[in-house]
């Protein structure tokens, strides 16, 4: 009780302090134009800094911190009481009021037990004694509870956060980061990481918190726009985009793989709807024979051989011809080109232009050749006026050989800026014998319609890289890839080479690898071939679902030899398995949705294997005044409430309640690995309640 009263008084003091700091910063902001109006650049920087401080105080006013640690450094005589929050705040004298969760000392809260501890600071290891770790729950500027712990992994500490609704969970993770998560978040920026995380292990939130942590601790070296998040689709990017501002990391670049490709390729293209292809596979309409070949490094080697054969085509067969005179033959230009190194064909051509221009003034052979051809042309003319024109051209040309005019002509000849890479790739597919015919036919068809299949993105980007390099992307220093199990080896090769100044943090779950026809089979595929210097880490504990839900989902993952997740000790009642008649199924689902809404659940998903029945249930719900939304691939935003979607589109999302509407063995074939992954994905979206509906026999692994 005494501790609680102390913390209440402390909160009042901090709130008062924050008010004073905000007023001080606002006064500083008003005075800056008077003091620094003569230096607009400095003024802009100072005003931006002050405005950010004010905005940060506004962000944390309602809940300035979530934890306290008491730490006495060995070299000091006094103990520090540090209050840890989402954003650090210092007063006008530079004294820390709230310690940022990303600060080095804050790792003691996440990683250390009470007693003798140490942590890594920029100037070396700091040793001391940790005597208190306290969780502080604040709502609406009032302390609801305090909880002293020895280890932050205590399940009691997690319960307030794991019991929250889906709409607020992502915002709360800072207060409940676990040891295994914190280790990954705080890895050095120079590390390449591959993280295999089970469903509900917090992969996405850990990935975003890693970006936020690295931005904070490397702010003096790198700007915010040098950090990039690559997500699987626009819907997913928007789903997680509300987290970054909350983490003070909103300026990180957020792109889908397709958006990155479009920006890099720079040609007018559209992309095949990958969910359509997946849906075709699910419904048995398309086996996608041999399509995975295009995602391999063997396919890259095939493309490499082709590009070597056509590389010299960028130099015209006639060489450099000016006014009808051959100044340089193709062979002469090639001789210099072959002796020139460069990161791309364009860079080599630029260097060739400069080298030839610098050397030609001393090249008597070329000088004599041009003069003799001009002289012969002059002598062939009997008209005096025509001969006079030829003589003038001769003097101009000889003069150009000794100044920049010649280099301009040569650069123009070797300019490939208008070269298009998609026609090159199309010609490759049409002409190379080793490509299986079924791949050739489908690829040619899509390329001619300017619709690019996902498997063709990496090869086309590779051609662009070979011809033009990656100059516009060398500023990117840190890349996080989420849902990483859905990318192929060639995709990772191109990502690492286009973003070749960046280090990568790759997050995924092989058990959720539903795009197996174009994706990796095991992490070793990229660790051995692309990221040889990477560190492989596991997130084995699931924080999303209850014990009961995870136990059911583990039956599926174990059956397909992808291991089991370890759930947090949180009970939410048994998984409901309901057999209903086909004719009564939609009515039953409607009644269950209404029941869950009446019980206060905010987000409810009705999940199907395919889209066939989605419109029917949506219509029935609306007829009964239950607002709902069908989620399709091209949708960019999910607003909560009741939604209807397919299992493959639910990947990466989470809901308070999930109703899987069609869990029959005939629908989810227990002998089909893809079916089992889809069912696993659907089941592991549930936070609190999971209901499995079937009409004949439920999938045998759930029986």
């Amino acid at each position: 009780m005494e501790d609680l009263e102390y913390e209440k008084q402390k909160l009042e003091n901090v709130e008062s302090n924050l008010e004073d700091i905000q007023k001080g910063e606002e006064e500083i902001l008003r005075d800056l134009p008077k003091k620094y109006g003569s230096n607009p650049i400095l003024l802009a920087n100072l005003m931006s800094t002050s405005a950010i401080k004010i905005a940060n105080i506004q962000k944390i006013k309602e809940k300035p911190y979530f934890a306290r640690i008491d730490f006495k450094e060995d070299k000091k005589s006094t103990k520090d009481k540090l209050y840890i929050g989402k954003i650090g705040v210092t007063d006008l004298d530079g004294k820390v009021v709230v310690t940022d969760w990303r600060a080095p000392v804050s790792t003691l809260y996440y990683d250390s037990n009470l007693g003798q501890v140490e942590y890594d600071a920029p100037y070396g290891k700091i040793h001391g004694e940790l005597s208190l770790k306290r969780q502080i729950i604040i709502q609406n500027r009032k302390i609801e509870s305090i909880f002293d712990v020895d280890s932050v992994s205590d399940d009691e500490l997690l319960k307030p956060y794991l019991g929250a609704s889906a709409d607020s969970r992502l915002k709360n993770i800072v207060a409940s980061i676990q040891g295994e998560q914190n280790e990954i978040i705080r890895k050095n920026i120079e590390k390449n990481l591959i993280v295999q995380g089970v469903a509900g292990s917090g992969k996405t939130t850990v990935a975003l918190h890693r970006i936020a942590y690295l931005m904070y601790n490397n702010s003096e070296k790198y700007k915010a726009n040098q950090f990039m998040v690559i997500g699987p689709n626009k819907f997913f990017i928007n789903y997680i985009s509300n987290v970054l501002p909350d983490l003070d990391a909103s300026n990180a670049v957020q792109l889908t793989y397709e958006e990155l490709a479009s920006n890099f390729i720079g040609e007018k293209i559209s992309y095949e709807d990958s969910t359509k292809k997946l849906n075709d596979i699910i419904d048995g309409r398309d086996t996608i024979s041999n399509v995975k070949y295009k995602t391999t490094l063997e396919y890259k080697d095939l493309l490499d051989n082709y590009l070597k054969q056509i590389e010299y085509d960028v130099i015209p067969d006639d060489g450099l011809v000016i006014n009808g005179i051959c100044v340089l033959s193709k062979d002469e230009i090639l001789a210099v080109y072959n002796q020139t190194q460069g990161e791309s064909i364009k860079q080599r051509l630029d260097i060739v232009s400069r080298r030839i221009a610098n050397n030609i003034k001393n090249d008597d052979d070329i000088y004599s050749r041009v003069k003799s051809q001009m002289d012969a042309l002059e002598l062939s003319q009997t008209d005096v006026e025509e001969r006079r024109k030829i003589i003038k051209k001769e003097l101009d040309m000889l003069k150009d050989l000794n100044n920049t005019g010649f280099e301009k002509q040569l650069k123009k000849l070797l300019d490939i800026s208008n070269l298009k890479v998609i026609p090159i790739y199309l010609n490759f597919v049409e002409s190379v014998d080793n490509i299986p015919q079924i791949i050739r036919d489908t690829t040619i068809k899509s390329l001619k319609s300017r619709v690019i299949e996902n498997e063709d993105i990496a090869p086309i980007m590779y051609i662009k890289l070979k011809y033009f390099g990656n100059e516009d992307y060398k500023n990117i220093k840190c890349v996080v890839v989420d849902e990483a199990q859905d990318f192929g080896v060639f995709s990772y090769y191109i990502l690492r080479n286009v973003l070749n100044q960046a280090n990568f943090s790759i997050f995924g779950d092989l058990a959720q690898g539903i795009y197996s026809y174009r994706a990796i089979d095991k992490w070793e595929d990229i660790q051995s071939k692309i990221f040889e210097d990477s560190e492989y880490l596991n997130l084995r504990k699931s924080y999303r679902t209850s014990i009961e839900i995870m136990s059911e989902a583990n039956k599926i993952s174990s059956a397909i030899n992808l291991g089991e997740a370890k759930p947090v000790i949180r009970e939410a009642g048994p998984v409901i398995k309901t057999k209903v008649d086909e004719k009564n199924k939609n009515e039953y689902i409607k009644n269950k949705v209404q029941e869950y809404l009446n019980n206060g659940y905010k987000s409810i998903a009705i999940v199907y294997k395919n889209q066939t029945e989605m419109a029917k249930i949506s219509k029935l719900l609306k007829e009964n005044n239950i607002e709902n939304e069908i989620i399709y691939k091209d949708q960019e935003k999910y607003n909560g409430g009741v939604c209807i979607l397919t299992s493959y589109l639910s990947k990466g999302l989470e809901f308070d309640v999930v109703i899987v509407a069609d869990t029959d063995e005939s629908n989810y074939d227990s002998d089909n690995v893809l079916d089992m992954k889809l069912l696993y994905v659907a089941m592991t979206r549930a936070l609190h309640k999971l209901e499995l509906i079937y009409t004949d026999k439920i999938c045998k692994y759930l029986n």
Side-chain angles (χ1 to χ4, degrees):
M1 193 66 177
E2 185 178 331
D3 283 348
L4 182 59
E5 289 304 314
Y6 174 87
E7 295 300 352
K8 287 180 179 178
Q9 185 60 52
K10 176 67 179 180
L11 179 60
E12 289 181 13
N13 294 340
V14 169
E15 288 176 343
S16 175
N17 205 346
L18 290 176
E19 292 287 349
D20 292 341
I21 296 169
Q22 181 174 334
K23 288 177 183 176
E25 289 294 344
E26 288 170 346
E27 189 175 328
I28 290 170
L29 191 59
R30 285 193 298 269
D31 292 342
L32 284 174
K34 298 176 187 175
K35 291 183 178 180
Y36 302 101
S38 59
N39 189 336
I41 295 176
L42 178 60
L43 175 62
N45 288 335
L46 291 173
M47 291 186 73
S48 175
T49 300
S50 199
I52 289 170
K53 287 182 180 178
I54 293 169
N56 284 342
I57 291 171
Q58 294 281 21
K59 282 181 185 178
I60 67 169
K61 268 185 175 180
E62 295 296 314
K63 194 181 297 185
Y65 48 82
F66 55 80
R68 166 186 159 188
I69 60 172
D70 291 358
F71 175 67
K72 180 182 174 300
E73 189 179 337
D74 284 348
K75 294 179 181 179
K76 292 183 179 180
S77 58
T78 57
K79 176 172 61 177
D80 292 321
K81 296 178 181 178
L82 305 176
Y83 287 81
I84 301 170
K86 287 182 181 179
I87 299 173
V89 177
T90 56
D91 63 21
L92 298 177
D93 297 323
K95 183 181 177 182
V96 176
V97 177
V98 178
T99 300
D100 198 293
W101 72 273
R102 296 164 291 187
V105 69
S106 297
T107 196
L108 295 177
Y109 175 71
Y110 298 113
D111 285 345
S112 300
N113 296 328
L114 301 183
Q116 291 298 311
V117 294
E118 63 180 27
Y119 68 92
D120 291 319
Y123 42 88
K125 283 192 182 297
I126 303 297
H127 300 268
E129 182 181 7
L130 182 65
S131 56
L132 178 75
K133 277 175 41 169
R134 175 171 290 168
Q135 178 198 64
I136 302 172
I137 307 279
I138 300 173
Q139 294 292 346
N140 301 318
R141 300 192 178 193
K142 294 185 181 298
I143 292 181
E144 288 195 348
S145 64
I146 62 174
F147 188 69
D148 290 355
V149 294
D150 184 21
S151 170
V152 78
S153 61
D154 192 311
D155 287 335
E156 289 298 317
L157 177 65
L158 287 169
K159 282 183 178 178
Y161 305 104
L162 300 181
S165 296
D167 61 350
S168 63
R169 280 170 54 83
L170 285 180
K171 296 178 182 179
N172 284 335
I173 190 176
V174 170
S176 59
I177 292 169
Q178 298 297 285
E180 62 175 0
Q181 298 172 327
N182 192 50
E183 178 190 3
I184 293 167
I185 290 168
R186 294 176 185 260
K187 286 283 184 185
N188 191 288
I189 194 170
E190 304 299 330
K191 288 274 189 183
N192 284 309
L193 307 180
I194 297 175
V195 181
Q196 160 62 34
V198 298
S201 59
K203 293 182 295 297
T204 298
T205 45
V206 171
L208 299 181
H209 284 69
R210 176 159 172 76
I211 281 276
Y213 171 81
L214 293 176
M215 287 173 67
Y216 175 86
N217 284 282
N218 294 275
S219 59
E220 293 183 4
K221 290 170 63 179
Y222 306 127
K223 296 178 181 178
N225 62 6
Q226 292 180 277
F227 295 79
M228 179 182 286
V229 180
I230 299 176
N233 52 53
K234 198 64 182 173
F235 176 52
F236 184 78
I237 288 289
N238 282 324
Y239 177 72
I240 57 94
S241 63
N242 70 313
V243 183
L244 290 175
D246 201 50
L247 292 173
D248 193 28
S250 56
N251 291 327
V253 180
Q254 303 165 60
L255 294 170
T256 65
Y257 179 48
E258 287 85 357
E259 287 174 330
L260 174 64
S262 291
N263 295 343
F264 183 71
I265 295 167
E267 297 180 25
K268 190 175 181 180
I269 49 178
S270 59
Y271 296 99
E272 171 207 51
D273 182 353
S274 59
T275 60
K276 179 183 180 302
K277 182 179 283 188
L278 181 60
N279 206 41
D280 287 343
I281 298 171
I282 292 169
D283 292 345
R285 291 192 296 271
D286 195 337
T287 58
I288 316 297
S289 303
N290 298 316
V291 74
K292 196 160 187 172
Y293 179 54
K294 290 196 287 185
T295 71
T296 65
L297 294 185
E298 289 74 23
Y299 192 68
K300 180 197 81 72
D301 293 341
L302 202 63
L303 184 55
D304 260 331
N305 291 333
Y306 173 76
L307 293 177
K308 286 176 185 176
Q309 294 171 27
I310 67 165
E311 181 177 346
Y312 297 144
D313 291 349
V314 296
I315 301 172
D317 291 338
D318 293 337
L320 178 61
V321 177
I322 305 175
N323 294 332
I325 303 300
C326 180
V327 179
L328 285 168
S329 69
K330 179 171 183 174
D331 287 343
E332 287 174 311
I333 299 172
L334 277 176
V336 180
Y337 180 83
N338 287 329
Q339 295 171 9
T340 302
Q341 298 296 315
E343 293 182 2
S344 66
I345 291 173
K346 183 182 183 302
Q347 188 184 69
R348 289 174 71 185
L349 291 172
D350 290 342
I351 295 170
V352 165
S353 298
R354 292 196 297 271
R355 283 185 177 174
I356 293 178
N358 289 334
N359 296 333
I360 199 166
K361 63 185 69 174
N362 300 316
D363 195 325
D364 292 336
D365 290 342
I366 294 176
Y367 194 88
S368 299
R369 180 199 310 156
V370 172
K371 190 170 189 323
S372 63
Q373 289 184 73
M374 294 299 290
D375 288 345
L377 193 59
E378 177 192 343
L379 292 172
S380 68
Q381 291 292 334
T382 56
D383 183 80
V384 174
E385 188 58 35
E386 287 299 318
R387 290 182 71 180
R388 188 176 289 121
K389 289 180 182 178
I390 291 171
I391 291 170
K392 185 179 185 308
K393 285 183 179 179
E394 177 181 1
L395 292 173
D396 289 343
M397 280 191 66
L398 294 175
K399 182 181 178 182
D400 275 348
L401 294 180
N402 290 288
N403 61 32
T404 56
F406 172 75
E407 185 177 354
K408 288 179 182 176
Q409 293 273 16
L410 190 56
K411 277 189 174 180
K412 186 176 180 182
L413 176 80
L414 302 180
D415 181 23
I416 62 169
S417 57
N418 292 323
L419 181 143
K420 304 297 182 186
V421 297
I422 293 177
I424 294 174
Y425 182 57
L426 175 59
N427 193 59
F428 160 73
V429 176
E430 288 176 327
S431 61
V432 174
D433 294 334
N434 299 44
I435 299 174
Q437 192 62 43
I438 190 168
I439 291 180
R440 191 191 312 280
D441 293 342
T442 56
T443 306
I444 290 172
K445 182 180 178 181
S446 69
L447 290 172
K448 286 186 174 179
S449 63
R450 309 292 289 186
V451 176
I452 307 302
E453 295 179 307
N454 182 280
E455 306 83 56
D456 294 313
I457 292 175
I460 294 170
M461 289 180 73
Y462 185 65
I463 296 172
K464 184 77 175 187
L465 180 68
K466 295 290 279 188
Y467 274 89
F468 293 96
N470 66 335
E471 200 60 39
D472 293 340
Y473 294 84
K474 288 187 174 180
N475 69 314
I476 302 297
K477 299 300 178 185
C478 178
V479 177
V480 163
V481 183
D482 205 358
E483 298 293 337
Q485 73 280 347
D486 291 336
F487 294 93
V489 178
F490 198 172
S491 297
Y492 280 110
Y493 179 90
I494 198 65
L495 286 174
R496 183 151 208 198
N497 283 274
V498 168
L499 305 165
N500 68 344
Q501 300 301 307
N503 286 294
F504 284 73
S505 297
I506 294 167
F507 293 80
D509 179 15
L510 294 176
Q512 299 180 64
I514 60 178
Y515 295 96
S516 55
Y517 63 89
R518 60 170 166 83
I520 58 171
D521 296 316
K522 51 187 183 298
W523 295 117
E524 289 84 348
D525 291 344
I526 59 170
Q527 193 170 25
S528 62
K529 298 171 183 175
I530 314 296
F531 295 99
E532 299 95 337
D533 56 344
S534 63
E535 183 176 355
Y536 180 80
L537 297 154
N538 271 292
L539 289 171
R540 296 185 178 90
K541 201 166 187 178
S542 176
Y543 304 99
R544 176 188 296 140
T545 60
S546 66
I547 293 175
E548 298 90 344
I549 294 170
M550 203 67 245
S551 296
E552 288 293 331
N554 278 338
K555 295 176 183 177
I556 303 293
S557 58
S558 295
I560 56 177
N561 299 315
L562 288 172
E564 294 186 1
K566 181 182 177 183
V568 169
I569 300 175
R570 178 175 70 89
E571 297 177 352
V575 172
I576 303 168
K577 302 174 186 177
T578 307
K579 184 176 182 179
V580 297
D581 291 334
E582 183 65 41
K583 62 182 180 180
N584 297 326
K585 185 168 76 169
N586 284 351
E587 186 69 22
Y588 176 82
I589 292 173
K590 181 261 295 181
N591 291 336
K592 290 299 293 187
V593 169
Q594 187 63 65
E595 178 186 326
Y596 287 124
L597 288 171
N598 292 342
N599 288 333
Y601 292 106
K602 295 180 180 179
S603 61
I604 301 170
I606 307 168
V607 182
Y608 292 88
K609 185 181 175 186
N610 54 46
Q611 299 176 6
T612 310
E613 298 180 62
M614 288 168 49
K616 293 178 186 176
I617 189 66
S618 176
K619 181 181 178 184
L620 178 62
L621 292 173
K622 287 180 179 177
E623 288 172 350
N624 286 270
N625 299 316
I626 300 174
E627 287 301 313
N628 66 87
E629 167 176 39
I630 300 178
I631 294 178
Y632 294 109
K633 167 67 172 71
D634 57 359
Q635 191 161 329
E636 294 190 359
K637 208 164 188 179
Y638 166 54
N639 298 310
V642 179
C643 70
I644 304 159
L645 71 170
T646 58
S647 52
Y648 53 81
L649 196 55
S650 72
K651 186 159 62 70
L653 308 180
E654 57 185 31
F655 307 90
D656 294 336
V657 177
V658 170
I659 300 170
V660 188
D662 49 5
T663 59
D664 286 84
E665 172 71 23
S666 58
N667 195 44
Y668 287 100
D669 181 357
S670 56
D671 293 326
N672 185 309
V673 173
L674 176 58
D675 278 1
M676 291 302 93
K677 287 183 176 181
L678 289 168
L679 183 54
Y680 177 81
V681 167
M683 293 170 64
T684 54
R685 301 309 95 200
L687 292 173
H688 308 302
K689 294 294 180 183
L690 173 64
E691 183 155 356
L692 308 174
I693 295 173
Y694 62 102
T695 59
D696 183 19
K697 293 181 179 178
I698 197 168
C699 171
K700 74 176 185 182
Y701 295 128
L702 301 176
N703 192 351

